[in-house]
Amino acid sequence: MSGKRSPARRPTMKDIARHAGVSQSAVSFALNGRPGVSEDTRDRVRRVAEELGWRPSTAARALSGEGAATVGFVLARPADTLGVDSFFLQLVSGIQEVLAERHLGLLFQVVEDVADECAVYRRWWAEHRVDGVLVVDPRTDDPRPGLLDELGLPAVVIGGAPDDRHLGLSTVWADDAGAMASVVDGLYALGHRRIVHIAGLPGLAHTERRIRTLRAEAGRRGLSEVKSVTTDYSDAEGAAVTRRVLEGPTPPTALIYDNDVMAVAGAAAAAELGFSVPADVSVVSWEDSALCRMVKPWLSALSRDSVEFGRTAARELTALLDGGSARAVRVPVPRLVERGSTGVARDSTEVGRGA
């Protein structure tokens, strides 16, 4: 996939002057709070500037046309779930490595939702804050690619599947479907027929891909007691969902967690209920980290180089900033590392709850 865009033109003082019917010097006086224009003119100029979406540049480099020398990264997730998310810490580490080599800064902001994220992009674009952005957590119905196309802001989408509708955006993606299929293959070979996937946030493209793949793999094998339950990625929800499914009439024999934090919390919750890992229930973490090797038994996990994932995304963005064409880059499929938390399944209807 390749393509180039013509960047959208930012409104200038000349545009404001034309729409307001005044000189450019009058616009400069009005917007910079300097004397020399009447209050009526000042109000009219400011109103026109707002209507056109004009913002003052916050960087001298941008004013001189050299660019902001900064890359933007906005995260629309609950702030209290970020401190323990090893994937994002490693991803940002890889991004920063590449940006530092190019003497580029990273402007990071956490917001409530995608609407706020879009507002940040519009503001950054208007203020010349950033030269490009890295976009994470692609949604199934996502307004961000269209907006970035409209603005002409160079962007790399991390974790999204290639999208022919937005040829100006580069994509760095992993095969979540292939990874989920490999996990199900491994658990099925161990005799597991009741599997629960404790997933991340609903609406995220990678969450939906994993859910669809699990459903398809279960259907292909004729498994009726396989399902996914979405969460906010936190340890609290991971533990709560684990308790709920294990206390049901037919507890699962295997649990797949969408991150390492939930997997560790889930394994602890299972132990509290009297379930032994892996004798009664097997546990697999989608993300591998030191956490997976700090509990007993060590957790089986999907291993990938998240730092290199970040490096790849940053390299693709710098290539766009250098005038290159957009493209889709696929990183290696995460590899299942089997450890002590997965084993041969046995019927779990009589274990747990102190049995």
mmCIF file of all heavy atoms in Angstrom, residues 287-336:
data_model
loop_
_atom_site.group_PDB
_atom_site.id
_atom_site.type_symbol
_atom_site.label_atom_id
_atom_site.label_comp_id
_atom_site.label_asym_id
_atom_site.label_seq_id
_atom_site.Cartn_x
_atom_site.Cartn_y
_atom_site.Cartn_z
ATOM 1 N N GLU A 287 0.457 -10.481 26.610
ATOM 2 C CA GLU A 287 1.718 -9.744 26.643
ATOM 3 C C GLU A 287 2.695 -10.445 27.584
ATOM 4 O O GLU A 287 2.340 -10.824 28.688
ATOM 5 C CB GLU A 287 1.495 -8.310 27.138
ATOM 6 C CG GLU A 287 0.634 -7.467 26.232
ATOM 7 C CD GLU A 287 1.291 -7.146 24.899
ATOM 8 O OE1 GLU A 287 2.536 -7.297 24.791
ATOM 9 O OE2 GLU A 287 0.574 -6.769 23.963
ATOM 10 N N ASP A 288 3.921 -10.574 27.146
ATOM 11 C CA ASP A 288 4.970 -11.130 27.999
ATOM 12 C C ASP A 288 5.734 -9.977 28.650
ATOM 13 O O ASP A 288 5.917 -8.916 28.052
ATOM 14 C CB ASP A 288 5.926 -11.979 27.169
ATOM 15 C CG ASP A 288 6.799 -12.876 28.033
ATOM 16 O OD1 ASP A 288 6.537 -12.951 29.251
ATOM 17 O OD2 ASP A 288 7.727 -13.495 27.488
ATOM 18 N N SER A 289 6.139 -10.160 29.876
ATOM 19 C CA SER A 289 6.917 -9.137 30.586
ATOM 20 C C SER A 289 7.540 -9.788 31.808
ATOM 21 O O SER A 289 7.299 -10.969 32.105
ATOM 22 C CB SER A 289 6.019 -7.970 31.025
ATOM 23 O OG SER A 289 5.208 -8.353 32.119
ATOM 24 N N ALA A 290 8.303 -8.996 32.556
ATOM 25 C CA ALA A 290 8.913 -9.506 33.792
ATOM 26 C C ALA A 290 7.844 -9.962 34.776
ATOM 27 O O ALA A 290 8.075 -10.890 35.565
ATOM 28 C CB ALA A 290 9.785 -8.421 34.423
ATOM 29 N N LEU A 291 6.653 -9.337 34.731
ATOM 30 C CA LEU A 291 5.569 -9.745 35.625
ATOM 31 C C LEU A 291 5.238 -11.224 35.463
ATOM 32 O O LEU A 291 4.930 -11.915 36.443
ATOM 33 C CB LEU A 291 4.305 -8.924 35.347
ATOM 34 C CG LEU A 291 4.150 -7.569 36.010
ATOM 35 C CD1 LEU A 291 2.838 -6.934 35.580
ATOM 36 C CD2 LEU A 291 4.212 -7.706 37.530
ATOM 37 N N CYS A 292 5.282 -11.694 34.224
ATOM 38 C CA CYS A 292 4.922 -13.098 33.961
ATOM 39 C C CYS A 292 5.923 -14.070 34.562
ATOM 40 O O CYS A 292 5.619 -15.262 34.710
ATOM 41 C CB CYS A 292 4.820 -13.337 32.447
ATOM 42 S SG CYS A 292 3.500 -12.406 31.646
ATOM 43 N N ARG A 293 7.100 -13.559 34.914
ATOM 44 C CA ARG A 293 8.144 -14.415 35.500
ATOM 45 C C ARG A 293 8.392 -14.083 36.964
ATOM 46 O O ARG A 293 9.403 -14.486 37.537
ATOM 47 C CB ARG A 293 9.433 -14.265 34.679
ATOM 48 C CG ARG A 293 9.253 -14.639 33.220
ATOM 49 C CD ARG A 293 10.539 -14.533 32.428
ATOM 50 N NE ARG A 293 11.073 -13.176 32.379
ATOM 51 C CZ ARG A 293 10.656 -12.235 31.529
ATOM 52 N NH1 ARG A 293 9.663 -12.508 30.668
ATOM 53 N NH2 ARG A 293 11.200 -11.033 31.530
ATOM 54 N N MET A 294 7.441 -13.352 37.561
ATOM 55 C CA MET A 294 7.561 -12.994 38.975
ATOM 56 C C MET A 294 6.497 -13.676 39.824
ATOM 57 O O MET A 294 6.338 -13.383 41.009
ATOM 58 C CB MET A 294 7.461 -11.472 39.142
ATOM 59 C CG MET A 294 8.636 -10.726 38.508
ATOM 60 S SD MET A 294 8.445 -8.915 38.533
ATOM 61 C CE MET A 294 8.571 -8.603 40.287
ATOM 62 N N VAL A 295 5.731 -14.574 39.218
ATOM 63 C CA VAL A 295 4.698 -15.325 39.929
ATOM 64 C C VAL A 295 4.984 -16.807 39.768
ATOM 65 O O VAL A 295 5.755 -17.224 38.912
ATOM 66 C CB VAL A 295 3.292 -14.984 39.383
ATOM 67 C CG1 VAL A 295 2.939 -13.540 39.663
ATOM 68 C CG2 VAL A 295 3.201 -15.267 37.875
ATOM 69 N N LYS A 296 4.369 -17.602 40.614
ATOM 70 C CA LYS A 296 4.505 -19.061 40.519
ATOM 71 C C LYS A 296 3.137 -19.658 40.261
ATOM 72 O O LYS A 296 2.194 -19.375 40.999
ATOM 73 C CB LYS A 296 5.095 -19.631 41.812
ATOM 74 C CG LYS A 296 6.556 -19.238 42.030
ATOM 75 C CD LYS A 296 7.119 -19.940 43.255
ATOM 76 C CE LYS A 296 8.580 -19.593 43.462
ATOM 77 N NZ LYS A 296 9.140 -20.267 44.656
ATOM 78 N N PRO A 297 3.032 -20.489 39.229
ATOM 79 C CA PRO A 297 4.063 -20.775 38.230
ATOM 80 C C PRO A 297 4.249 -19.607 37.266
ATOM 81 O O PRO A 297 3.389 -18.735 37.176
ATOM 82 C CB PRO A 297 3.502 -21.996 37.501
ATOM 83 C CG PRO A 297 2.019 -21.806 37.572
ATOM 84 C CD PRO A 297 1.752 -21.197 38.925
ATOM 85 N N TRP A 298 5.389 -19.585 36.560
ATOM 86 C CA TRP A 298 5.580 -18.572 35.531
ATOM 87 C C TRP A 298 4.471 -18.694 34.500
ATOM 88 O O TRP A 298 4.018 -19.806 34.184
ATOM 89 C CB TRP A 298 6.932 -18.762 34.845
ATOM 90 C CG TRP A 298 8.100 -18.320 35.675
ATOM 91 C CD1 TRP A 298 8.095 -17.993 37.001
ATOM 92 C CD2 TRP A 298 9.443 -18.168 35.213
ATOM 93 N NE1 TRP A 298 9.350 -17.634 37.411
ATOM 94 C CE2 TRP A 298 10.208 -17.729 36.332
ATOM 95 C CE3 TRP A 298 10.084 -18.353 33.993
ATOM 96 C CZ2 TRP A 298 11.576 -17.479 36.241
ATOM 97 C CZ3 TRP A 298 11.442 -18.097 33.893
ATOM 98 C CH2 TRP A 298 12.182 -17.673 35.007
ATOM 99 N N LEU A 299 4.047 -17.548 33.961
ATOM 100 C CA LEU A 299 2.911 -17.541 33.047
ATOM 101 C C LEU A 299 3.333 -17.758 31.593
ATOM 102 O O LEU A 299 4.267 -17.115 31.100
ATOM 103 C CB LEU A 299 2.157 -16.215 33.145
ATOM 104 C CG LEU A 299 1.586 -15.838 34.515
ATOM 105 C CD1 LEU A 299 0.764 -14.554 34.399
ATOM 106 C CD2 LEU A 299 0.743 -16.962 35.092
ATOM 107 N N SER A 300 2.610 -18.650 30.933
ATOM 108 C CA SER A 300 2.764 -18.777 29.484
ATOM 109 C C SER A 300 2.289 -17.473 28.854
ATOM 110 O O SER A 300 1.319 -16.861 29.323
ATOM 111 C CB SER A 300 1.936 -19.946 28.949
ATOM 112 O OG SER A 300 2.396 -21.172 29.498
ATOM 113 N N ALA A 301 2.971 -17.032 27.801
ATOM 114 C CA ALA A 301 2.637 -15.722 27.248
ATOM 115 C C ALA A 301 3.030 -15.628 25.782
ATOM 116 O O ALA A 301 3.910 -16.343 25.298
ATOM 117 C CB ALA A 301 3.349 -14.622 28.040
ATOM 118 N N LEU A 302 2.347 -14.704 25.087
ATOM 119 C CA LEU A 302 2.717 -14.363 23.722
ATOM 120 C C LEU A 302 3.851 -13.342 23.793
ATOM 121 O O LEU A 302 3.711 -12.285 24.411
ATOM 122 C CB LEU A 302 1.527 -13.766 22.968
ATOM 123 C CG LEU A 302 0.498 -14.767 22.457
ATOM 124 C CD1 LEU A 302 -0.774 -14.054 22.035
ATOM 125 C CD2 LEU A 302 1.054 -15.577 21.287
ATOM 126 N N SER A 303 4.958 -13.687 23.186
ATOM 127 C CA SER A 303 6.146 -12.843 23.261
ATOM 128 C C SER A 303 6.330 -12.088 21.954
ATOM 129 O O SER A 303 6.234 -12.654 20.868
ATOM 130 C CB SER A 303 7.379 -13.702 23.530
ATOM 131 O OG SER A 303 8.534 -12.907 23.553
ATOM 132 N N ARG A 304 6.556 -10.783 22.071
ATOM 133 C CA ARG A 304 6.897 -9.974 20.910
ATOM 134 C C ARG A 304 7.840 -8.871 21.365
ATOM 135 O O ARG A 304 7.895 -8.526 22.547
ATOM 136 C CB ARG A 304 5.656 -9.370 20.260
ATOM 137 C CG ARG A 304 4.854 -8.443 21.164
ATOM 138 C CD ARG A 304 3.694 -7.844 20.396
ATOM 139 N NE ARG A 304 2.754 -7.151 21.262
ATOM 140 C CZ ARG A 304 1.651 -6.564 20.815
ATOM 141 N NH1 ARG A 304 1.358 -6.609 19.535
ATOM 142 N NH2 ARG A 304 0.832 -5.957 21.654
ATOM 143 N N ASP A 305 8.551 -8.299 20.433
ATOM 144 C CA ASP A 305 9.503 -7.238 20.744
ATOM 145 C C ASP A 305 8.779 -5.901 20.646
ATOM 146 O O ASP A 305 8.740 -5.272 19.585
ATOM 147 C CB ASP A 305 10.680 -7.298 19.765
ATOM 148 C CG ASP A 305 11.832 -6.390 20.193
ATOM 149 O OD1 ASP A 305 11.582 -5.483 21.009
ATOM 150 O OD2 ASP A 305 12.955 -6.591 19.695
ATOM 151 N N SER A 306 8.190 -5.466 21.766
ATOM 152 C CA SER A 306 7.410 -4.230 21.766
ATOM 153 C C SER A 306 8.288 -3.005 21.553
ATOM 154 O O SER A 306 7.836 -2.002 20.992
ATOM 155 C CB SER A 306 6.635 -4.103 23.081
ATOM 156 O OG SER A 306 5.740 -5.185 23.241
ATOM 157 N N VAL A 307 9.551 -3.065 22.008
ATOM 158 C CA VAL A 307 10.472 -1.950 21.778
ATOM 159 C C VAL A 307 10.733 -1.795 20.282
ATOM 160 O O VAL A 307 10.699 -0.689 19.730
ATOM 161 C CB VAL A 307 11.786 -2.155 22.545
ATOM 162 C CG1 VAL A 307 12.790 -1.062 22.193
ATOM 163 C CG2 VAL A 307 11.536 -2.169 24.052
ATOM 164 N N GLU A 308 10.949 -2.910 19.592
ATOM 165 C CA GLU A 308 11.175 -2.860 18.150
ATOM 166 C C GLU A 308 9.909 -2.410 17.411
ATOM 167 O O GLU A 308 9.984 -1.739 16.370
ATOM 168 C CB GLU A 308 11.627 -4.226 17.630
ATOM 169 C CG GLU A 308 11.928 -4.273 16.139
ATOM 170 C CD GLU A 308 13.025 -3.283 15.722
ATOM 171 O OE1 GLU A 308 13.899 -2.950 16.551
ATOM 172 O OE2 GLU A 308 13.002 -2.852 14.548
ATOM 173 N N PHE A 309 8.745 -2.782 17.939
ATOM 174 C CA PHE A 309 7.478 -2.313 17.383
ATOM 175 C C PHE A 309 7.471 -0.777 17.374
ATOM 176 O O PHE A 309 7.117 -0.127 16.379
ATOM 177 C CB PHE A 309 6.331 -2.840 18.245
ATOM 178 C CG PHE A 309 4.999 -2.944 17.555
ATOM 179 C CD1 PHE A 309 3.949 -3.617 18.167
ATOM 180 C CD2 PHE A 309 4.759 -2.366 16.325
ATOM 181 C CE1 PHE A 309 2.707 -3.724 17.558
ATOM 182 C CE2 PHE A 309 3.522 -2.455 15.704
ATOM 183 C CZ PHE A 309 2.489 -3.138 16.331
ATOM 184 N N GLY A 310 7.877 -0.181 18.509
ATOM 185 C CA GLY A 310 7.942 1.275 18.595
ATOM 186 C C GLY A 310 8.978 1.859 17.647
ATOM 187 O O GLY A 310 8.737 2.889 17.002
ATOM 188 N N ARG A 311 10.139 1.223 17.556
ATOM 189 C CA ARG A 311 11.170 1.703 16.628
ATOM 190 C C ARG A 311 10.645 1.707 15.191
ATOM 191 O O ARG A 311 10.860 2.665 14.432
ATOM 192 C CB ARG A 311 12.414 0.813 16.701
ATOM 193 C CG ARG A 311 13.202 0.866 17.995
ATOM 194 C CD ARG A 311 14.521 0.139 17.827
ATOM 195 N NE ARG A 311 15.152 -0.161 19.105
ATOM 196 C CZ ARG A 311 15.203 -1.385 19.648
ATOM 197 N NH1 ARG A 311 14.662 -2.422 19.013
ATOM 198 N NH2 ARG A 311 15.790 -1.565 20.814
ATOM 199 N N THR A 312 9.965 0.613 14.816
ATOM 200 C CA THR A 312 9.444 0.499 13.455
ATOM 201 C C THR A 312 8.449 1.612 13.155
ATOM 202 O O THR A 312 8.496 2.245 12.096
ATOM 203 C CB THR A 312 8.776 -0.875 13.255
ATOM 204 O OG1 THR A 312 9.733 -1.906 13.502
ATOM 205 C CG2 THR A 312 8.236 -1.021 11.837
ATOM 206 N N ALA A 313 7.546 1.862 14.104
ATOM 207 C CA ALA A 313 6.546 2.915 13.907
ATOM 208 C C ALA A 313 7.222 4.280 13.754
ATOM 209 O O ALA A 313 6.852 5.078 12.881
ATOM 210 C CB ALA A 313 5.573 2.930 15.080
ATOM 211 N N ALA A 314 8.211 4.559 14.601
ATOM 212 C CA ALA A 314 8.900 5.847 14.527
ATOM 213 C C ALA A 314 9.672 5.986 13.223
ATOM 214 O O ALA A 314 9.706 7.067 12.620
ATOM 215 C CB ALA A 314 9.835 6.008 15.721
ATOM 216 N N ARG A 315 10.299 4.901 12.755
ATOM 217 C CA ARG A 315 11.020 4.960 11.477
ATOM 218 C C ARG A 315 10.068 5.249 10.321
ATOM 219 O O ARG A 315 10.401 6.010 9.397
ATOM 220 C CB ARG A 315 11.755 3.644 11.226
ATOM 221 C CG ARG A 315 12.940 3.393 12.148
ATOM 222 C CD ARG A 315 13.740 2.187 11.691
ATOM 223 N NE ARG A 315 14.660 1.743 12.736
ATOM 224 C CZ ARG A 315 14.524 0.636 13.448
ATOM 225 N NH1 ARG A 315 13.475 -0.163 13.237
ATOM 226 N NH2 ARG A 315 15.400 0.307 14.369
ATOM 227 N N GLU A 316 8.889 4.635 10.368
ATOM 228 C CA GLU A 316 7.917 4.878 9.304
ATOM 229 C C GLU A 316 7.448 6.327 9.309
ATOM 230 O O GLU A 316 7.235 6.927 8.251
ATOM 231 C CB GLU A 316 6.720 3.929 9.437
ATOM 232 C CG GLU A 316 7.044 2.477 9.147
ATOM 233 C CD GLU A 316 7.655 2.296 7.759
ATOM 234 O OE1 GLU A 316 7.092 2.826 6.772
ATOM 235 O OE2 GLU A 316 8.711 1.637 7.668
ATOM 236 N N LEU A 317 7.304 6.910 10.497
ATOM 237 C CA LEU A 317 6.869 8.306 10.558
ATOM 238 C C LEU A 317 7.976 9.238 10.061
ATOM 239 O O LEU A 317 7.707 10.187 9.309
ATOM 240 C CB LEU A 317 6.463 8.683 11.978
ATOM 241 C CG LEU A 317 5.927 10.113 12.145
ATOM 242 C CD1 LEU A 317 4.754 10.380 11.199
ATOM 243 C CD2 LEU A 317 5.506 10.362 13.588
ATOM 244 N N THR A 318 9.215 8.984 10.456
ATOM 245 C CA THR A 318 10.295 9.846 9.973
ATOM 246 C C THR A 318 10.456 9.718 8.459
ATOM 247 O O THR A 318 10.818 10.692 7.792
ATOM 248 C CB THR A 318 11.629 9.525 10.675
ATOM 249 O OG1 THR A 318 11.972 8.140 10.495
ATOM 250 C CG2 THR A 318 11.546 9.834 12.162
ATOM 251 N N ALA A 319 10.167 8.534 7.914
ATOM 252 C CA ALA A 319 10.210 8.373 6.456
ATOM 253 C C ALA A 319 9.156 9.255 5.791
ATOM 254 O O ALA A 319 9.406 9.874 4.741
ATOM 255 C CB ALA A 319 9.996 6.913 6.081
ATOM 256 N N LEU A 320 7.964 9.334 6.393
ATOM 257 C CA LEU A 320 6.928 10.221 5.862
ATOM 258 C C LEU A 320 7.368 11.682 5.953
ATOM 259 O O LEU A 320 7.140 12.474 5.024
ATOM 260 C CB LEU A 320 5.619 10.033 6.632
ATOM 261 C CG LEU A 320 4.830 8.738 6.418
ATOM 262 C CD1 LEU A 320 3.604 8.721 7.322
ATOM 263 C CD2 LEU A 320 4.423 8.586 4.964
ATOM 264 N N LEU A 321 7.989 12.049 7.062
ATOM 265 C CA LEU A 321 8.446 13.425 7.233
ATOM 266 C C LEU A 321 9.536 13.777 6.224
ATOM 267 O O LEU A 321 9.698 14.949 5.863
ATOM 268 C CB LEU A 321 8.976 13.638 8.655
ATOM 269 C CG LEU A 321 7.972 13.439 9.795
ATOM 270 C CD1 LEU A 321 8.630 13.719 11.139
ATOM 271 C CD2 LEU A 321 6.743 14.309 9.609
ATOM 272 N N ASP A 322 10.255 12.756 5.764
ATOM 273 C CA ASP A 322 11.291 12.977 4.756
ATOM 274 C C ASP A 322 10.725 12.991 3.345
ATOM 275 O O ASP A 322 11.477 13.084 2.365
ATOM 276 C CB ASP A 322 12.360 11.885 4.857
ATOM 277 C CG ASP A 322 13.209 12.020 6.110
ATOM 278 O OD1 ASP A 322 13.239 13.130 6.681
ATOM 279 O OD2 ASP A 322 13.823 11.016 6.527
ATOM 280 N N GLY A 323 9.388 12.866 3.232
ATOM 281 C CA GLY A 323 8.755 12.916 1.918
ATOM 282 C C GLY A 323 8.461 11.566 1.302
ATOM 283 O O GLY A 323 8.063 11.485 0.127
ATOM 284 N N GLY A 324 8.634 10.488 2.060
ATOM 285 C CA GLY A 324 8.371 9.158 1.542
ATOM 286 C C GLY A 324 6.886 8.862 1.419
ATOM 287 O O GLY A 324 6.035 9.599 1.926
ATOM 288 N N SER A 325 6.580 7.780 0.739
ATOM 289 C CA SER A 325 5.192 7.357 0.546
ATOM 290 C C SER A 325 4.708 6.536 1.734
ATOM 291 O O SER A 325 5.500 5.863 2.399
ATOM 292 C CB SER A 325 5.064 6.517 -0.734
ATOM 293 O OG SER A 325 5.401 7.288 -1.865
ATOM 294 N N ALA A 326 3.415 6.604 1.981
ATOM 295 C CA ALA A 326 2.822 5.794 3.045
ATOM 296 C C ALA A 326 2.851 4.327 2.652
ATOM 297 O O ALA A 326 2.776 3.978 1.482
ATOM 298 C CB ALA A 326 1.388 6.242 3.301
ATOM 299 N N ARG A 327 2.942 3.471 3.649
ATOM 300 C CA ARG A 327 2.929 2.037 3.379
ATOM 301 C C ARG A 327 2.489 1.284 4.621
ATOM 302 O O ARG A 327 2.428 1.842 5.723
ATOM 303 C CB ARG A 327 4.301 1.561 2.929
ATOM 304 C CG ARG A 327 5.410 1.756 3.957
ATOM 305 C CD ARG A 327 6.736 1.261 3.417
ATOM 306 N NE ARG A 327 7.744 1.128 4.464
ATOM 307 C CZ ARG A 327 8.749 0.269 4.422
ATOM 308 N NH1 ARG A 327 8.872 -0.546 3.384
ATOM 309 N NH2 ARG A 327 9.628 0.205 5.406
ATOM 310 N N ALA A 328 2.174 0.002 4.435
ATOM 311 C CA ALA A 328 1.789 -0.872 5.540
ATOM 312 C C ALA A 328 2.939 -1.820 5.839
ATOM 313 O O ALA A 328 3.471 -2.467 4.935
ATOM 314 C CB ALA A 328 0.543 -1.669 5.183
ATOM 315 N N VAL A 329 3.339 -1.885 7.110
ATOM 316 C CA VAL A 329 4.452 -2.734 7.525
ATOM 317 C C VAL A 329 3.946 -3.710 8.576
ATOM 318 O O VAL A 329 3.383 -3.309 9.593
ATOM 319 C CB VAL A 329 5.602 -1.889 8.116
ATOM 320 C CG1 VAL A 329 6.725 -2.794 8.609
ATOM 321 C CG2 VAL A 329 6.117 -0.900 7.088
ATOM 322 N N ARG A 330 4.135 -4.978 8.313
ATOM 323 C CA ARG A 330 3.699 -6.014 9.250
ATOM 324 C C ARG A 330 4.879 -6.480 10.088
ATOM 325 O O ARG A 330 5.931 -6.819 9.553
ATOM 326 C CB ARG A 330 3.094 -7.188 8.487
ATOM 327 C CG ARG A 330 2.706 -8.362 9.360
ATOM 328 C CD ARG A 330 1.962 -9.390 8.537
ATOM 329 N NE ARG A 330 2.138 -10.736 9.064
ATOM 330 C CZ ARG A 330 1.555 -11.816 8.564
ATOM 331 N NH1 ARG A 330 0.760 -11.697 7.522
ATOM 332 N NH2 ARG A 330 1.765 -13.000 9.088
ATOM 333 N N VAL A 331 4.705 -6.486 11.399
ATOM 334 C CA VAL A 331 5.750 -6.971 12.298
ATOM 335 C C VAL A 331 5.525 -8.467 12.533
ATOM 336 O O VAL A 331 4.440 -8.993 12.255
ATOM 337 C CB VAL A 331 5.735 -6.205 13.636
ATOM 338 C CG1 VAL A 331 6.012 -4.716 13.398
ATOM 339 C CG2 VAL A 331 4.424 -6.394 14.374
ATOM 340 N N PRO A 332 6.527 -9.195 13.042
ATOM 341 C CA PRO A 332 6.369 -10.642 13.245
ATOM 342 C C PRO A 332 5.193 -10.987 14.159
ATOM 343 O O PRO A 332 4.875 -10.249 15.094
ATOM 344 C CB PRO A 332 7.703 -11.054 13.881
ATOM 345 C CG PRO A 332 8.671 -10.026 13.402
ATOM 346 C CD PRO A 332 7.907 -8.742 13.334
ATOM 347 N N VAL A 333 4.561 -12.124 13.875
ATOM 348 C CA VAL A 333 3.450 -12.599 14.707
ATOM 349 C C VAL A 333 3.978 -12.937 16.100
ATOM 350 O O VAL A 333 5.019 -13.591 16.228
ATOM 351 C CB VAL A 333 2.808 -13.861 14.087
ATOM 352 C CG1 VAL A 333 1.671 -14.373 14.975
ATOM 353 C CG2 VAL A 333 2.287 -13.554 12.691
ATOM 354 N N PRO A 334 3.323 -12.461 17.163
ATOM 355 C CA PRO A 334 3.756 -12.828 18.519
ATOM 356 C C PRO A 334 3.853 -14.349 18.678
ATOM 357 O O PRO A 334 3.005 -15.090 18.180
ATOM 358 C CB PRO A 334 2.651 -12.242 19.403
ATOM 359 C CG PRO A 334 2.104 -11.104 18.615
ATOM 360 C CD PRO A 334 2.161 -11.555 17.178
ATOM 361 N N ARG A 335 4.884 -14.795 19.385
ATOM 362 C CA ARG A 335 5.161 -16.231 19.530
ATOM 363 C C ARG A 335 4.753 -16.701 20.930
ATOM 364 O O ARG A 335 5.093 -16.071 21.931
ATOM 365 C CB ARG A 335 6.649 -16.475 19.303
ATOM 366 C CG ARG A 335 7.129 -17.894 19.518
ATOM 367 C CD ARG A 335 8.620 -17.979 19.189
ATOM 368 N NE ARG A 335 9.398 -17.024 19.983
ATOM 369 C CZ ARG A 335 9.902 -17.311 21.180
ATOM 370 N NH1 ARG A 335 9.691 -18.502 21.732
ATOM 371 N NH2 ARG A 335 10.618 -16.395 21.826
ATOM 372 N N LEU A 336 4.017 -17.808 20.995
ATOM 373 C CA LEU A 336 3.587 -18.345 22.278
ATOM 374 C C LEU A 336 4.750 -19.039 22.986
ATOM 375 O O LEU A 336 5.327 -19.992 22.475
ATOM 376 C CB LEU A 336 2.434 -19.333 22.090
ATOM 377 C CG LEU A 336 1.902 -19.978 23.380
ATOM 378 C CD1 LEU A 336 1.349 -18.909 24.327
ATOM 379 C CD2 LEU A 336 0.818 -21.018 23.061
#
